[in-house]
Amino acid sequence: MIRGNETRDRIAHVQTSRSGYGESDPLNVTDRIRAVRTGEWKLIHHYYQDNPTRFELYHLPDDPYEQNNVIDSNPKIATELQKDLFDWIL
């Protein structure tokens, strides 16, 4: 992939917490931000202990700076990416 020999899109998963992972006791990390990214889409899942779960969906070719959350107008894509993200988490 680094050499440019691979052309297919890959799905990437990422995870962090609201305050990073500097906490010495991992059990104290209760707020997480996870995302799944394809070549075209990025779904972000905010899970905060003190707030309800929130999702954001961005169509990257049209919105590379992730300014326009299009989750309401793309429920099928959001559902597919949510399933992929939760499969990865499990």
Side-chain angles (χ1 to χ4, degrees):
M1 184 176 225
I2 291 172
R3 292 184 185 114
N5 298 332
E6 188 171 326
T7 58
R8 68 181 175 97
D9 284 338
R10 289 185 174 210
I11 295 176
H13 301 91
V14 295
Q15 174 176 274
T16 189
S17 73
R18 188 162 32 175
S19 58
Y21 283 105
E23 173 62 49
S24 60
D25 183 354
L27 295 178
N28 288 335
V29 178
T30 57
D31 300 333
R32 290 181 169 72
I33 303 166
R34 296 174 171 133
V36 57
R37 187 192 189 287
T38 68
E40 187 174 0
W41 297 96
K42 182 176 184 183
L43 178 84
I44 303 171
H45 175 225
H46 300 269
Y47 179 84
Y48 300 155
Q49 190 173 31
D50 59 345
N51 290 320
T53 293
R54 186 179 90 235
F55 288 95
E56 299 172 17
L57 180 68
Y58 299 98
H59 186 244
L60 300 173
D62 295 334
D63 184 16
Y65 297 107
E66 301 174 12
Q67 301 295 308
N68 186 26
N69 182 0
V70 295
I71 197 162
D72 292 334
S73 58
N74 295 278
K76 183 178 179 195
I77 298 291
T79 299
E80 290 171 5
L81 291 175
Q82 285 172 358
K83 181 184 180 322
D84 182 86
L85 184 64
F86 290 133
D87 287 347
W88 173 74
I89 291 168
L90 294 175

